[in-house]
């Protein structure tokens, strides 16, 4: 604590006096300036500060290589080899060209899984964004309890996914689930939400939307905060109604924020696995199978793991995520430049 | 929006014989603590493991992310843009891909089914996010503050530890919060990298309960409630950081 206070005190005391010199040395010698003697002989102060900078960044660089690049490489490598449990442990699995990929493409699960992945992703992000935005606009009108309620609405997003998924699984239970009970009150006959092929995908999408709303709510809300209030006042003076204000002002001004929210949603939703796996395991049949669950099923869901095809599927999944990611990064650049 | 959360709590207090009643009881009138007794009986080791993994993940994440954030925000290393890009891409890699890759690597390293292995895997969810948060936050620290420390004769490391870190407390809280929650709620790494381990996190505890044929929903929901407690507590303690974290992670303005 003492060093902390000393540092802060010294900073504020000398801050004003140090300003001019600090500014002058800003270009070339950021941190190297603190020890002019250390690098004076051989290295220029600039390269010393470069070294210091990379020394601070080095752990994360090493980390990225060891814990992202290596697993990614291993995954890709697996997808090109013919693996059995034995060769997996002992090594020496043969390259089989692209046989795993061919197998995946020819698998009857391929097209349904692709379709489910796309439907799951786009329906989820579309609906959760629309609902998130509606709630954000609603909460923006600073009424009593607005802050408390908004905080409570974050809960679904912070719960462990396995908790949300099992809660939904029980609510959607065919015989004793509360959803079917509620439907029976309005005269709808019970639906086999999780055990019938035509409803399983709908069920996992509903649960996923519920989990995704808070995230959209928070980001859109922060976007609303950056819209200057006097625009609305001017619109009111011109006689604009609430609906007009939303479509003519809020919606267009939120466009950059909306783009980022949707793209992040895309990236997150592509990799959703826990919810589907826990609620339906991709079934019944393959009726709610996505690339993420299919890959898991192949690699870890069988008695004998099929790592070759499992990692081939996940390589396809990462291609999809990368496309989404590149779009995201481009959009963010455009937003920064505008 | 909040109904499922309510329902989870409600069911956790419901007696097994009332579970399949029609209409379902909207309030736990004949409340029972059986579910929670089951948690105490079966789940304590899982909860302990999760706590340990969560805290270790937070520590690892902070140690890695804070200096990197400082470098990217203030020391401006040449090629920092590439690092930034790599971090963004890293966040987009689906967990299943990492899990398969880790499985292969962990067998060789001998850390499959161990807690350190799981901590390493879990930290990959939070580290890129942590660096981005720290970078965003530390960019906002006035350069004069660091210049002043330099005039006082502090080295870059010293400036980082005694000036930059204390000022960045909010970023530290945000990163710790998310690192803990993500590690706590991780399922995919736990089920792939620790399925043969004696010490398993609480997500696996719940998964085992669901997997049982005689599905005791009262116990499952009680465990779910208990597993949600950290999220609830953290939410109350750190509301504003949560929102700040989401927005800083996604939108830079």
């Amino acid at each position: 604590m003492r060093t902390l206070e000393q540092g802060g005190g010294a900073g504020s005391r000398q801050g004003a006096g140090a300003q001019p010199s600090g500014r002058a040395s800003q270009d070339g010698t950021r941190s190297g300036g603190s020890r002019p003697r250390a690098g004076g002989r051989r290295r220029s102060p600039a390269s010393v500060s470069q070294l210091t900078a990379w020394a601070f960044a080095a752990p994360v660089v090493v980390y990225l290589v060891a814990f992202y690049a290596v697993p990614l490489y291993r995954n890709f490598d697996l997808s090109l080899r013919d693996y059995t449990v034995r060769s997996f442990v002992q090594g020496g699995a043969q390259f089989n060209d692209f046989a795993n990929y061919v197998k995946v493409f020819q698998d009857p699960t391929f097209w349904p899984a692709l379709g489910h992945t796309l439907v799951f992703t786009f329906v989820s992000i579309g609906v959760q964004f629309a609902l998130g935005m509606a709630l954000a606009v609603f909460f923006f009108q600073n009424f009593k309890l607005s802050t408390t309620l908004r905080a409570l609405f974050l809960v679904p997003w912070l719960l462990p996914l396995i908790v949300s998924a099992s809660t939904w699984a029980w609510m959607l239970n065919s015989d004793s689930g509360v959803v079917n009970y509620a439907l029976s009150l309005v005269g709808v006959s019970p639906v086999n939400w999780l055990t019938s092929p035509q409803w399983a995908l709908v069920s996992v999408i509903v649960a996923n939307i519920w989990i995704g709303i808070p995230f959209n709510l928070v980001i859109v809300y922060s976007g609303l905060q950056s819209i200057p209030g006097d625009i609305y006042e001017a619109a009111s003076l011109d006689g604009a109604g609430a609906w007009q204000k939303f479509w003519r002002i809020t919606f267009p001004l939120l466009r950059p924020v909306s783009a980022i929210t949707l793209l992040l949603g895309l990236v997150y939703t592509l990799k959703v696995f826990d919810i589907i796996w826990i609620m339906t395991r991709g079934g019944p049949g393959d009726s709610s199978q996505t690339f993420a669950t299919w890959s898991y099923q192949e690699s870890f869901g069988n008695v004998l793991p099929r790592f070759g095809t499992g990692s081939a599927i996940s390589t396809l999944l990462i291609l999809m995520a990368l496309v989404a990611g590149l779009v995201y990064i481009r959009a963010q650049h455009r937003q920064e430049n505008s | 929006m909040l109904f499922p959360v309510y329902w989870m709590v409600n069911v956790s207090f419901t007696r097994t014989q009332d579970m399949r009643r029609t209409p379902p009881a909207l309030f736990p009138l004949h409340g029972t603590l059986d579910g929670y007794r089951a948690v105490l009986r079966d789940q304590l080791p899982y909860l302990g493991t999760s706590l340990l993994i969560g805290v270790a993940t937070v520590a690892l994440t902070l140690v890695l992310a804070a200096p990197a954030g400082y470098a990217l925000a203030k020391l401006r290393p040449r090629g920092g843009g590439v690092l930034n890009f790599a971090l963004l891409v890293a966040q987009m890699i689906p967990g299943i891909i990492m899990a398969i890759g880790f499985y292969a690597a962990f067998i060789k390293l001998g850390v499959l089914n161990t807690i350190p292995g799981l901590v390493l895997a879990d930290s990959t969810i939070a580290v890129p996010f942590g660096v981005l948060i720290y970078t965003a936050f530390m960019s906002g620290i006035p350069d004069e503050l660091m210049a002043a420390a330099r005039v006082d004769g502090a080295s870059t490391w010293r400036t980082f530890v005694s000036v930059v870190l204390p000022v960045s407390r909010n970023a530290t809280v945000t990163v710790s919060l998310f690192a803990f929650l993500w590690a706590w709620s991780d399922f995919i790494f736990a089920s792939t990298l620790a399925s043969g381990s004696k010490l398993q996190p609480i997500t696996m505890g719940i998964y085992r309960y669901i997997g049982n044929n005689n599905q005791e929903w009262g116990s499952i929901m009680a465990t779910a409630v208990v597993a949600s407690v950290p999220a609830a507590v953290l939410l109350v303690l750190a509301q504003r950081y949560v929102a700040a974290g989401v927005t800083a992670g996604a939108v830079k303005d």
Side-chain angles (χ1 to χ4, degrees):
Chain A
M1 268 327 273
R2 194 175 297 152
T3 55
L4 225 156
E5 275 159 26
Q6 273 172 2
S12 55
R13 213 177 334 108
Q14 303 206 352
Q19 240 179 31
S21 66
R23 281 228 180 104
S25 67
Q26 229 173 39
D27 301 334
T29 58
R30 220 140 240 301
S31 58
S34 63
R35 346 166 233 175
R37 257 164 260 147
R41 221 173 275 163
R42 269 202 231 135
R43 297 195 177 104
S44 69
S47 78
V48 169
S49 73
Q50 275 298 310
L51 272 183
T52 330
W54 276 110
F56 273 85
V60 160
V61 175
V62 174
Y63 180 87
L64 282 177
V65 171
F67 294 108
Y68 280 95
V70 170
L72 269 179
Y73 166 76
R74 283 294 280 153
N75 180 81
F76 185 62
D77 183 58
L78 280 172
S79 76
L80 296 176
R81 288 170 189 268
D82 189 15
Y83 267 96
T84 57
V85 179
R86 219 175 104 227
S87 62
F88 191 82
V89 178
Q90 296 173 347
Q94 294 298 311
F95 274 109
N96 61 358
D97 297 318
F98 286 89
N100 290 325
Y101 289 89
V102 174
K103 226 188 270 175
V104 166
F105 279 120
Q106 285 172 348
D107 196 296
T109 309
F110 180 80
W111 291 108
L114 180 65
H116 297 152
T117 307
L118 295 178
V119 169
F120 181 85
T121 307
F122 287 104
V123 173
S124 289
I125 61 175
V127 177
Q128 72 195 18
F129 177 71
L131 293 177
M133 177 179 271
L135 283 169
V137 171
F138 175 70
F139 280 121
F140 201 60
Q141 292 149 12
N142 273 324
F143 50 91
K144 255 186 207 167
L145 282 178
S146 158
T147 327
T148 322
L149 258 181
R150 200 156 44 86
L152 277 176
F153 270 48
L154 289 178
V155 169
W157 178 63
L158 294 175
L159 290 183
L161 284 175
I162 190 163
V163 167
S164 324
S166 34
T167 304
W168 276 95
W170 178 237
M171 283 173 42
L172 293 172
N173 187 288
S174 311
D175 304 324
S176 357
V178 68
V179 172
N180 273 349
Y181 171 70
L183 287 178
S184 75
L185 292 182
V186 289
V188 179
S189 52
V191 176
N192 291 325
W193 293 105
L194 300 173
T195 48
S196 70
Q198 65 266 44
W199 287 107
L201 189 62
V202 176
S203 305
V204 292
I205 290 177
V206 167
N208 186 54
I209 288 171
W210 180 76
I211 293 161
I213 288 174
F215 176 78
N216 288 268
L217 165 63
V218 171
I219 299 193
V220 173
Y221 190 88
S222 80
L224 288 175
Q225 284 174 316
S226 66
I227 299 177
D230 37 358
I231 301 184
Y232 289 103
E233 281 167 33
S236 297
L237 287 178
D238 291 344
W243 193 243
Q244 268 186 317
K245 276 192 224 164
F246 176 77
W247 279 116
R248 299 274 169 82
I249 303 173
T250 313
F251 198 69
L253 284 180
L254 274 182
R255 256 214 352 235
V257 176
S258 307
I260 297 290
T261 316
L262 286 170
L263 282 162
L264 270 183
L266 181 65
V267 171
Y268 290 150
T269 317
L270 266 179
K271 49 181 181 183
V272 166
F273 156 78
D274 314 39
I275 304 161
I276 304 177
W277 186 256
I278 290 153
M279 287 177 71
T280 66
R281 293 194 167 226
D286 280 325
S287 58
S288 55
Q289 195 81 280
T290 65
F291 271 38
T293 54
W294 189 24
S295 168
Y296 183 90
Q297 171 81 48
E298 287 289 306
S299 305
F300 299 103
N302 301 298
V303 183
L304 289 178
R306 294 192 284 265
F307 285 110
T309 42
S311 49
I313 300 163
S314 62
T315 305
L316 296 176
L317 181 63
I318 199 174
L319 286 181
M320 294 161 101
L322 270 184
V323 171
L326 288 177
V327 176
Y328 166 68
I329 286 164
R330 269 200 62 178
Q332 204 174 37
H333 270 287
R334 213 181 304 148
Q335 196 196 351
E336 269 164 24
N337 296 336
S338 66
Chain B
M1 273 303 282
L2 290 173
F3 180 77
V5 180
Y6 168 72
W7 200 246
M8 168 176 85
V9 178
N10 180 24
V11 172
S12 75
F13 288 111
T14 307
R15 290 184 301 184
T16 313
Q17 65 263 38
D18 294 343
M19 205 62 79
R20 300 196 177 266
R21 227 180 50 180
T22 341
L26 291 180
F27 306 99
L29 286 180
H30 305 283
T32 169
L33 288 174
D34 283 352
Y36 291 90
R37 276 190 210 108
V39 174
L40 282 181
R41 192 184 61 228
D42 301 337
Q43 304 283 9
L44 278 184
Y46 293 104
L47 287 167
T49 310
S50 275
L51 193 65
L52 179 66
I53 290 174
V55 172
T57 307
V58 169
L60 182 62
T61 305
L62 291 181
V63 166
L64 286 163
Y70 178 53
L72 284 175
K74 288 297 177 195
L75 306 177
R76 306 198 191 141
R78 233 165 270 142
V82 179
L83 181 55
N84 236 327
F85 180 78
L87 289 164
L88 274 175
V89 172
Q91 283 190 302
M92 290 157 189
I93 301 171
I96 179 68
I97 293 168
M98 301 293 286
I100 297 176
F102 274 131
Y103 189 87
F106 277 14
I107 283 191
K108 275 206 182 129
L109 294 173
V111 286
L112 196 69
N113 294 327
T114 65
I115 291 198
L118 208 47
V119 169
L120 282 176
D122 281 347
S123 70
T124 57
I125 316 174
V127 166
F129 170 83
V131 179
L132 296 177
I133 294 273
Y134 269 118
T135 309
F137 188 89
M138 288 172 175
S139 303
I141 302 176
D143 283 340
E144 284 77 13
L145 201 60
M146 270 153 272
R150 215 178 300 145
V151 169
D152 282 356
S155 65
T156 313
W157 174 251
R158 177 79 206 215
T159 311
F160 170 66
V161 173
S162 323
V163 179
V164 177
L165 270 189
V167 175
S168 312
R169 212 196 60 214
N170 283 0
T172 304
V173 174
T174 311
V175 174
S176 313
L177 177 87
F178 280 92
F180 185 84
L181 278 179
W182 286 334
W184 180 271
S185 55
D186 160 67
F187 169 72
I188 193 161
F189 289 138
S191 75
T192 52
L193 304 176
S195 58
S197 166
K198 266 190 217 151
L199 294 169
Q200 295 191 332
I202 186 65
T203 44
M204 290 304 285
I206 299 179
Y207 191 57
R208 293 244 158 123
Y209 260 176
I210 304 175
N212 283 342
N213 284 328
N214 60 331
Q215 304 206 340
E216 295 277 340
W217 282 98
S219 315
I220 295 176
M221 288 296 114
T223 318
V225 171
V226 174
S228 312
V229 166
V233 171
L234 290 175
L235 185 67
V236 171
L237 291 180
Q239 262 185 50
R240 58 204 178 97
Y241 301 108
V242 177
V246 190
T247 37
V251 197
K252 285 196 242 157
D253 41 15

